[in-house]
Amino acid sequence: MATRNGLFWAFLGLLCLPATAQALELASHRAAYRLSLAEGGDGAVTSVRGGLVMEWKKACDGWTSSQRLAFQAGQAEGPPFSYDVRFSSWESDTDDRLHFSMRSFDNGKPAEEFRGEASLPESGGDGRAEFTVPAGKSVALPAGTLFPTRHIKTLIAAAERGESFVSVPVFDGSGLDALSNVSAVIGRNWPGEAGRPAAWTMILAYHKLTDRSEEPEFQLSFRLRADGVTDDITLDYGQFVLHGTLDELEQLPAPACE
């Protein structure tokens, strides 16, 4: 199945955003979503049943994340198919190191696997991602590249300032094509009320850095609350569109660090 796995790094972090622009403190939690087929796409996929689970947890030296998206889909022509992708990562508190691992399965059979680590120099120059699977592969990271957590902080800070557009290169570790220019449109704002935090709509479009086309490779949208909870998710793969509804939310304890 040809899909853009990069949504899992850019999107997974969006589950845990700060409540204030000053602190930019992330909240550890696990969120589970029910997936269904949304309107859109070319009509080849007729039904979808599945789920998305994301965990974002504070570690003593950074953040760990894990997520799994799995679904079964029916087609207008041809047999049903299933897709399962699992991603995990660790990102340093200093925003300059990322360890990552991704495996995907098509119809229960292994399809892709990527593992490795990436680093960005403190000086702000070019960085590099080195893969152990597939061995010997690497990706150059141009100056200004952000890893997922730093990207998240950049987006939430922009939303708090009332900005409506952010465009930066992001590397999320989801594969050899995991370096993208991510353009975020920050839309409607729901002011916080008693018992309800503020929220924003966001649309993220992924383009290859060398691609001048206005059509993104992948696009997702969601509603983001200031307490870090994301809902009303739409994942647009072009051939079909998925909708994610938040079913369960669990707060996770902070680590006991010396």
Side-chain angles (χ1 to χ4, degrees):
M1 173 182 172
T3 62
R4 175 66 175 91
N5 292 315
L7 77 98
F8 300 107
W9 243 90
F11 173 65
L12 95 113
L14 291 166
L15 289 174
C16 307
L17 296 178
T20 66
Q22 290 75 22
L24 285 177
E25 293 293 335
L26 308 182
S28 298
H29 64 266
R30 181 184 299 111
Y33 301 82
R34 174 170 38 85
L35 295 177
S36 58
L37 186 65
E39 294 183 2
D42 60 12
V45 174
T46 58
S47 64
V48 168
R49 180 171 58 88
L52 169 64
V53 178
M54 296 188 179
E55 179 177 299
W56 193 264
K57 190 172 183 179
K58 184 70 177 74
C60 295
D61 55 354
W63 287 87
T64 62
S65 65
S66 63
Q67 53 272 282
R68 180 180 181 183
L69 179 148
F71 63 82
Q72 294 180 326
Q75 302 185 87
E77 298 181 4
F81 68 91
S82 66
Y83 184 62
D84 185 344
V85 61
R86 307 167 192 185
F87 183 89
S88 62
S89 68
W90 169 86
E91 188 173 345
S92 67
D93 271 333
T94 51
D95 304 324
D96 60 355
R97 288 184 297 154
L98 176 70
H99 296 179
F100 53 87
S101 175
M102 191 280 283
R103 297 182 69 193
S104 66
F105 302 82
D106 287 347
N107 295 320
K109 298 180 179 180
E112 291 183 305
E113 181 175 5
F114 300 99
R115 292 202 304 269
E117 58 182 278
S119 60
L120 298 168
E122 293 182 4
S123 62
D126 295 345
R128 198 160 196 85
E130 301 286 351
F131 288 78
T132 56
V133 178
K137 297 293 185 178
S138 64
V139 175
L141 306 178
T145 296
L146 304 183
F147 292 147
T149 300
R150 179 61 183 275
H151 184 222
I152 294 163
K153 293 177 181 179
T154 299
L155 291 179
I156 193 65
E160 292 280 5
R161 292 193 299 266
E163 297 178 10
S164 59
F165 184 76
V166 176
S167 183
V168 290
V170 177
F171 180 80
D172 56 44
S174 60
L176 297 175
D177 62 347
L179 175 64
S180 299
N181 191 75
V182 182
S183 298
V185 177
I186 304 170
R188 181 180 175 184
N189 169 250
W190 287 268
E193 301 174 353
R196 294 188 63 183
W200 303 268
T201 56
M202 291 198 179
I203 301 174
L204 270 60
Y206 290 75
H207 291 86
K208 291 181 179 179
L209 265 63
T210 58
D211 186 5
R212 301 301 179 185
S213 171
E214 295 183 0
E215 194 70 22
E217 288 188 290
F218 173 78
Q219 183 168 295
L220 66 97
S221 63
F222 46 85
R223 180 171 57 216
L224 173 65
R225 296 181 352 195
D227 63 358
V229 177
T230 302
D231 60 10
D232 195 18
I233 305 164
T234 299
L235 311 175
D236 187 348
Y237 291 101
Q239 294 177 325
F240 60 95
V241 182
L242 299 182
H243 184 261
T245 302
L246 181 63
D247 271 353
E248 298 180 14
L249 180 66
E250 176 186 359
Q251 299 295 325
L252 301 176
C257 303
E258 297 182 357

